[in-house]
Structure formats: structure tokens, C-alpha cells
């Protein structure tokens, strides 16, 4: 399975999964149809699946136009998103599996950004490979999604599921927010050497206008404050008494950063 990262809108990424043997493709969170159709033409592949993580327009905006071109494509989304994702045919729950070519994604229910948000995890096909996580707006490189329809407790529970995946997992998040996220992270975690190094790397990458996605889950575990709600240093920095309060305060500070 090959993964193509297609930039869209101001800072979105659409991900196209390609099975070259069968000339099949699936797309994760098509903000718009054009970049997907262009990539499909270049590859000579047909679209068989649209995998939506949640209902926001910058994740489902291309669904209808893609379905016009590929009427047999199956549209997947979270069960709780019923009525909110254009063309949705499959209503997924935690633990469900989605087949694509010779591969299969596991569905993780990760509410918080929205009440219906799901993530798709492709486990490694061989021991030498890394898994691939498509997490929409739940986990970002250096950050996490805003809590539009969920609570800090819910988001911690959701992010715990992602944090439990192997360190070498490739993290394909839907936005290029990394630099701003890490600039915030450093304000609450100044002495974190891994974070300092990561910020320097990301600054260099972004100054060349390159993408910082995919990220690596091991790096996220060490540098992303929103995966470290149980870090006692962060807890004392934000003057919280417990994990939920730590997370809530971090999220609140980031909202106005
Ligand atoms: Zn969103
Ligand atoms: Fe988004």
C-alpha cells in the first residue's frame, strides 16, 4: 500500500491510499475532490473507498463530487456521524474493520474534537514495516484537535488509545499545524530537550515549505504535551491537581495561544 499526501485548502492534507497491483485507491478525508481526481488520473487508479474521520467540511467537502465520478465507491464514517457525512453508507464503531485491497484498517472511536470522530489504523503487514494511523483532527503533530463536541475526559480516553500504538507508527494527521503547536508546547515544557530538537527540525522543514506529516508516534509521545497529561512536570507548570485538569488547562491555554 502506497500513501500519497495531497495538500488542500489552507493547511489540510488529504491522504490517498494506492494498491498498484489492483489499481485501486481509497482516500482519507477528501476536503476537496480536485486534488484526489488529479492523483487518481496520474496513477490510473479507481476510487473504491472514502474514509472519513468526522463530519467537518474540510474533511468531507469532496465526497459528493468524488461519488459522481466513482459511483461505486463506499463512503465510511463513524456511526455517530449518521446524517452529517454526505453519501455515508457504512457506520463504523470501535473495533470494526475496513478492508482495502489486501489490507485492513481497524477503527478506533476517538470522540472529543467531535462526538463522532473515528481514526483508522493499518497495522504493519510485516514485522519490518510501520503501522499507519489516520487520526483526522484528534491528534496533531505537537498538538490535538479543539474540543468542539467533547470533554477533556473524553479526549484523554481517545488519545490514550492512540498513545497505546507502537512508537514507530506513522501519524497521518489532517492539518499542517505542527510549527504553531510546537511553539505553544515549548511555552509549557521549556526544559524538554526532545521538544527543543523537534522544534528546530520543524522550523527548518517549514522554512523550506515542506510537510511535517507524517509524524512518528514515538516522537509525539516525547514532545506533544497533549499526549503527556500525566506528566508531573506539566501538571505542576499548569498548576493542576490531576490528569484531567492538566489536559483541560493545556487545551484552554492553547485555544488562546
Ligand atoms: Zn475538524
Ligand atoms: Fe479539520
Amino acid at each position: 500500500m502506497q500513501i500519497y499526501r495531497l495538500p488542500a485548502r489552507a493547511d489540510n492534507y488529504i491522504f490517498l491510499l494506492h494498491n498498484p497491483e489492483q489499481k485501486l485507491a481509497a482516500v482519507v478525508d477528501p476536503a476537496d475532490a480536485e486534488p484526489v481526481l488529479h492523483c487518481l488520473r496520474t496513477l490510473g487508479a479507481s476510487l473504491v473507498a472514502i474514509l472519513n474521520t468526522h463530519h467537518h467540511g474540510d474533511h468531507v467537502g469532496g465526497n459528493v463530487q468524488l461519488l459522481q465520478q466513482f459511483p461505486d465507491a463506499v463512503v465510511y464514517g463513524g456511526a455517530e456521524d449518521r446524517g452529517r457525512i454526505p453519501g455515508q453508507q457504512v457506520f463504523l464503531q470501535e473495533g470494526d474493520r475496513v478492508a482495502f485491497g489486501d489490507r485492513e484498517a481497524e477503527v478506533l472511536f476517538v470522540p472529543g474534537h467531535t462526538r463522532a470522530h473515528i481514526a483508522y489504523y493499518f497495522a504493519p503487514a510485516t514485522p519490518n514495516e510501520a503501522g499507519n494511523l489516520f487520526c483526522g483532527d484528534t491528534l496533531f503533530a505537537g498538538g490535538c484537535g479543539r474540543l468542539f463536541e467533547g470533554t477533556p475526559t473524553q479526549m484523554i480516553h481517545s488519545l490514550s488509545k492512540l498513545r497505546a500504538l507502537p512508537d514507530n507508527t506513522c501519524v497521518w494527521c489532517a492539518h499542517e499545524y505542527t510549527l504553531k503547536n510546537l511553539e505553544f508546547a515549548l511555552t509549557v515544557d521549556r526544559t524538554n530537550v526532545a521538544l527543543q530538537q523537534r522544534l528546530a527540525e520543524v522550523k527548518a522543514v517549514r522554512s523550506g515549505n515542506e510537510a511535517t506529516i507524517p509524524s512518528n508516534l514515538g516522537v509525539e509521545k516525547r514532545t506533544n504535551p497533549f499526549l503527556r497529561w500525566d506528566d508531573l512536570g506539566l501538571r505542576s507548570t499548569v498548576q493542576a491537581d490531576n490528569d484531567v485538569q492538566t489536559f483541560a488547562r493545556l487545551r484552554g491555554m492553547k485555544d488562546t495561544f
Side-chain angles (χ1 to χ4, degrees):
M1 182 173 81
Q2 295 165 346
I3 303 173
Y4 294 84
R5 180 191 58 231
L6 314 177
R9 303 198 181 184
D11 49 35
N12 275 87
Y13 290 124
I14 300 167
F15 303 113
L16 191 134
L17 318 182
H18 183 219
N19 178 315
E21 291 80 31
Q22 301 179 68
K23 293 201 170 292
L24 300 178
V27 66
V28 181
D29 283 353
D32 295 304
E34 262 78 29
V36 180
L37 293 170
H38 178 82
C39 186
L40 290 168
R41 275 195 297 272
T42 309
L43 296 169
S46 10
L47 187 71
V48 294
I50 298 175
L51 310 179
N52 293 124
T53 62
H54 67 296
H55 74 291
H56 284 159
D58 61 318
H59 299 256
V60 304
N63 280 20
V64 169
Q65 204 188 328
L66 288 172
L67 280 173
Q68 283 164 1
Q69 300 290 316
F70 295 96
D72 295 335
V74 179
V75 181
Y76 297 87
E80 312 287 320
D81 258 334
R82 190 177 284 273
R84 305 204 294 186
I85 293 180
Q88 183 175 2
Q89 294 156 300
V90 183
F91 302 85
L92 297 167
Q93 292 176 327
E94 171 86 14
D96 282 349
R97 290 182 170 272
V98 177
F100 169 64
D102 55 349
R103 307 295 297 273
E104 215 177 39
E106 183 187 340
V107 173
L108 302 164
F109 182 48
V110 288
H113 175 65
T114 69
R115 62 183 165 78
H117 203 301
I118 58 172
Y120 299 89
Y121 175 62
F122 288 85
T126 66
N128 305 323
E129 233 178 75
N132 290 293
L133 172 68
F134 297 92
C135 48
D137 289 354
T138 296
L139 175 65
F140 292 126
C144 76
R146 280 178 192 252
L147 301 181
F148 287 120
E149 297 181 344
T151 64
T153 303
Q154 244 178 349
M155 194 60 151
I156 286 178
H157 187 234
S158 295
L159 289 169
S160 302
K161 295 180 190 176
L162 306 187
R163 198 172 73 165
L165 297 171
D167 276 10
N168 68 348
T169 303
C170 293
V171 182
W172 303 87
C173 26
H175 289 273
E176 181 60 67
Y177 290 159
T178 315
L179 180 56
K180 184 106 197 273
N181 284 339
L182 293 175
E183 284 170 350
F184 168 75
L186 196 66
T187 67
V188 291
D189 201 9
R190 288 193 187 281
T191 58
N192 184 336
V193 176
L195 173 58
Q196 294 163 1
Q197 286 169 352
R198 170 84 167 134
L199 178 56
E201 283 163 20
V202 163
K203 273 184 179 160
V205 170
R206 291 305 294 154
S207 69
N209 229 349
E210 306 278 344
T212 63
I213 307 304
S215 184
N216 166 278
L217 190 59
V219 169
E220 293 306 318
K221 291 179 193 179
R222 292 190 288 278
T223 59
N224 187 335
F226 296 98
L227 286 183
R228 299 174 56 239
W229 56 82
D230 46 4
D231 182 275
L232 295 180
L234 279 179
R235 179 190 287 190
S236 87
T237 299
V238 300
Q239 297 178 317
D241 296 324
N242 55 53
D243 294 352
V244 173
Q245 208 175 54
T246 303
F247 187 91
R249 293 210 171 150
L250 287 169
R251 190 57 260 177
M253 290 165 76
K254 177 63 174 63
D255 284 347
T256 56
F257 179 70

